[in-house]
Amino acid sequence: MSEIPPPEEEKKKGVSRRGLMIGGGVAVAGIAGFSLLSRGGGGGSGSGDCVTTDLSDTEAKLNVSNWPEYIDEDDGDYVSTLTQFQKDTGISVTYTPDVNDNVEFFSKVRNQLGACQPTGRDLFVLTDWMAARMIDAGWIQKLDKANVPNLDKNLISSLQGVGWDPNRDYSAPWQSGFSGIAYNKSLVGEVGSVAELLTRADLKGKVTMLTEMRDTMGLLLLADGADPSNFTDDEWGNAIDKLSKARTDGQIRAFTGNEYINDLAAGNIAACVAWSGDVAAAEDENLVFLPPEEGMMIWADNMLIPVQGQHKKNAEKWIDYYYDPVVAAKLAAYVWYVCPVEGAQAEMENIDPTLVDNPLIFPTADYLAQTHSFMALDEAKASQYEKDFADVTG
C-alpha cells in the first residue's frame, strides 16, 4: 500500500472542496425541493423557454462561483490562470468562492432557477450528484460544442461517458479527487482500512468522518463488502448500523468538513476519512493519505452554465481555456487534485517535474481501479438516506 507524502518544497494550496453540511433537516428539505421547483427533466429538456439572451457579444463580463481555494492566485511575479484569462480574452471575471457545500449552494439558487430568474452567476461548479440533479431539472444550458473544442479533445477518458451526461453536453469537470484515509504517523501506525477506523482500540475517540454523506457512506459500504454504485436498502441499513455503533461506542469523535486537517495536524485526532488534496496541502510530513484496503471514493466537480446565465459564450471561453493542457497543468500544480485534461501531464514537465508521476494529480489505471462512485439516487431515496445519515451524525 503506497503512502502519498506531502509536498516538500513550494507550498501547494489545497481545496476546501466541501464546507460543513447544513443541518440534516434542512438538507433533506433542500434536496426534496427539486421535485417541487424543476421545470422539466431529462437532460435539460423543458428549459428552452427559460434561457436568457446571451450578452457576451456586447458585454465582456463573466460571473463565476466556485469552491473556496480551488484556483491559483497571483503571487509576486506569478500570474494566475484567472488573471491570464482576463488578459488573453479581455473578459472581466467576477470570481466568487461561495460554493461551500452542494446542498447549501442549491438553497441559494433554487428559488431563482425554479422561477426562471437570474442568479447573478454565468457559471458555477458543483459535484457530480448535484450537477446531475440540476441538469435533470432543466436548469443547465447545453454547451455549444463549437465553442469548447478543447473539452471534447482533451477530457481524460475516466471522466467521459458518465450516465447523467454521457456526451458532456451540459458539464465540464473542473477537478476530480479521492476520498480515503488520512492518519498522523507520529501518533499511530498505519491505518489501512475503514474497518480499522471503526474498531481499532488505539483510535477510539480519535477518529473523524466527513459530513458529506456520499463520501463517508460510500467508504462504509465498501468496508461492508457492498458496491457503492449499486447497493440495496438492506446493505445501506447494515452500513448505517455500523456507523451508528461506532458513534455510540465513542470510536468516532465527530463528523466534520475540511477542518479535520487542523485537528489531524494538531494531534487532536489520529486518523480520519479525508480528501486527497487537503492532506497534500497541509505540508506536514507526519500526515499521510492512502487508499483504504476496501477502495476509495472518487468524485468530480463540474462547471455548469445555468439557464439564466447572461454570458454563455464568455463562460464557454472560460471552459475551453481551462482545457488547454498548459493552463490545466499550471492549475493542477497549485491545487493538487486530479487534473481532468489530457496532455497536462506532459506539460507538467515544464512546470514542476516532481509532480509528473503524482497519483493524486495524474492517477494511473491501477490507481483508478481502486476507486468507486456513489449510486445515483432519486428524490425519495435521497431524502431517506440523508435523513438516516443525519440521524447518526447529529
Side-chain angles (χ1 to χ4, degrees), residues 112-276:
Q112 293 99 317
L113 290 171
C116 224
Q117 296 174 352
T119 65
R121 301 165 175 88
D122 301 306
L123 182 148
F124 46 66
V125 180
L126 297 173
T127 309
D128 292 324
W129 66 274
M130 182 61 81
R133 287 168 178 266
M134 285 203 167
I135 291 169
D136 188 60
W139 292 349
I140 304 302
Q141 294 194 57
K142 190 173 185 177
L143 299 172
D144 184 339
K145 291 291 190 174
N147 293 336
V148 289
N150 282 338
L151 173 61
D152 285 340
K153 178 183 177 183
N154 296 329
L155 178 63
I156 59 175
S157 60
S158 61
L159 292 175
Q160 296 175 15
V162 293
W164 49 272
D165 190 12
N167 298 316
R168 291 293 182 181
D169 290 324
Y170 298 90
S171 64
W174 173 255
Q175 300 287 289
S176 182
F178 308 113
S179 303
I181 290 175
Y183 67 95
N184 188 324
K185 66 182 182 181
S186 71
L187 300 177
V188 293
E190 179 178 300
V191 183
S193 70
V194 175
E196 289 180 62
L197 283 179
L198 297 177
T199 60
R200 249 174 64 174
D202 62 331
L203 298 178
K204 187 171 183 177
K206 301 177 182 178
V207 172
T208 61
M209 294 196 171
L210 296 171
T211 52
E212 181 70 15
M213 180 192 78
R214 287 158 179 81
D215 289 318
T216 292
M217 289 308 299
L219 293 175
L220 263 290
L221 285 160
L222 284 170
D224 212 30
D227 180 356
S229 67
N230 185 22
F231 57 89
T232 66
D233 281 348
D234 285 343
E235 289 172 326
W236 169 266
N238 290 337
I240 276 287
D241 287 346
K242 287 191 175 181
L243 185 68
S244 179
K245 184 179 187 303
R247 182 68 188 272
T248 301
D249 290 348
Q251 185 76 10
I252 299 173
R253 173 176 175 145
F255 292 84
T256 76
N258 69 290
E259 71 272 19
Y260 68 84
I261 201 69
N262 298 322
D263 280 332
L264 190 63
N268 297 326
I269 60 173
C272 58
V273 174
W275 293 310
S276 51

Side-chain angles (χ1 to χ4, degrees), residues 39-90:
R39 299 177 55 85
S45 63
S47 64
D49 60 339
C50 193
V51 177
T52 191
T53 301
D54 188 0
L55 303 178
S56 296
D57 289 340
T58 57
E59 292 185 359
K61 299 178 180 179
L62 180 64
N63 297 302
V64 177
S65 282
N66 204 346
W67 299 81
E69 297 182 78
Y70 218 178
I71 198 168
D72 53 328
E73 300 175 357
D74 296 326
D75 184 10
D77 294 334
Y78 178 86
V79 179
S80 70
T81 56
L82 189 158
T83 295
Q84 194 63 51
F85 172 81
Q86 294 180 104
K87 290 181 177 180
D88 292 349
T89 63

Side-chain angles (χ1 to χ4, degrees), residues 176-390:
S176 182
F178 308 113
S179 303
I181 290 175
Y183 67 95
N184 188 324
K185 66 182 182 181
S186 71
L187 300 177
V188 293
E190 179 178 300
V191 183
S193 70
V194 175
E196 289 180 62
L197 283 179
L198 297 177
T199 60
R200 249 174 64 174
D202 62 331
L203 298 178
K204 187 171 183 177
K206 301 177 182 178
V207 172
T208 61
M209 294 196 171
L210 296 171
T211 52
E212 181 70 15
M213 180 192 78
R214 287 158 179 81
D215 289 318
T216 292
M217 289 308 299
L219 293 175
L220 263 290
L221 285 160
L222 284 170
D224 212 30
D227 180 356
S229 67
N230 185 22
F231 57 89
T232 66
D233 281 348
D234 285 343
E235 289 172 326
W236 169 266
N238 290 337
I240 276 287
D241 287 346
K242 287 191 175 181
L243 185 68
S244 179
K245 184 179 187 303
R247 182 68 188 272
T248 301
D249 290 348
Q251 185 76 10
I252 299 173
R253 173 176 175 145
F255 292 84
T256 76
N258 69 290
E259 71 272 19
Y260 68 84
I261 201 69
N262 298 322
D263 280 332
L264 190 63
N268 297 326
I269 60 173
C272 58
V273 174
W275 293 310
S276 51
D278 284 346
V279 177
E283 290 193 298
D284 187 327
E285 64 180 9
N286 289 316
L287 305 190
V288 178
F289 176 87
L290 52 73
E293 293 173 3
E294 301 93 342
M296 292 183 292
M297 298 302 294
I298 188 171
W299 42 263
D301 291 328
N302 304 272
M303 294 179 277
L304 307 165
I305 302 174
V307 289
Q308 283 289 304
Q310 297 178 309
H311 304 94
K312 181 173 184 283
K313 281 194 285 189
N314 292 345
E316 289 167 339
K317 287 182 180 179
W318 171 276
I319 292 171
D320 200 58
Y321 170 79
Y322 276 99
Y323 270 78
D324 180 317
V326 176
V327 176
K330 187 175 179 180
L331 176 64
Y334 198 89
V335 301
W336 273 61
Y337 272 85
V338 177
C339 180
V341 179
E342 192 71 42
Q345 187 170 20
E347 294 295 338
M348 190 64 81
E349 288 279 5
N350 302 318
I351 297 173
D352 187 344
T354 68
L355 299 180
V356 171
D357 296 319
N358 189 317
L360 298 182
I361 303 174
F362 304 111
T364 63
D366 287 343
Y367 202 81
L368 288 173
Q370 305 173 76
T371 65
H372 303 263
S373 57
F374 199 88
M375 183 170 71
L377 305 175
D378 60 28
E379 303 305 329
K381 194 65 70 177
S383 294
Q384 174 193 332
Y385 288 170
E386 289 282 1
K387 182 180 183 303
D388 292 344
F389 188 63

Side-chain angles (χ1 to χ4, degrees), residues 18 20-32 34 67 99-110 126-127 129-130 133-134 211-214 386:
R18 299 185 178 95
L20 286 171
M21 289 283 283
I22 57 179
V26 178
V28 172
I31 294 298
F34 270 110
W67 299 81
V99 187
N100 294 310
D101 176 88
N102 285 290
V103 177
E104 182 184 58
F105 184 78
F106 167 69
S107 71
K108 293 179 182 179
V109 299
R110 66 170 183 163
L126 297 173
T127 309
W129 66 274
M130 182 61 81
R133 287 168 178 266
M134 285 203 167
T211 52
E212 181 70 15
M213 180 192 78
R214 287 158 179 81
E386 289 282 1

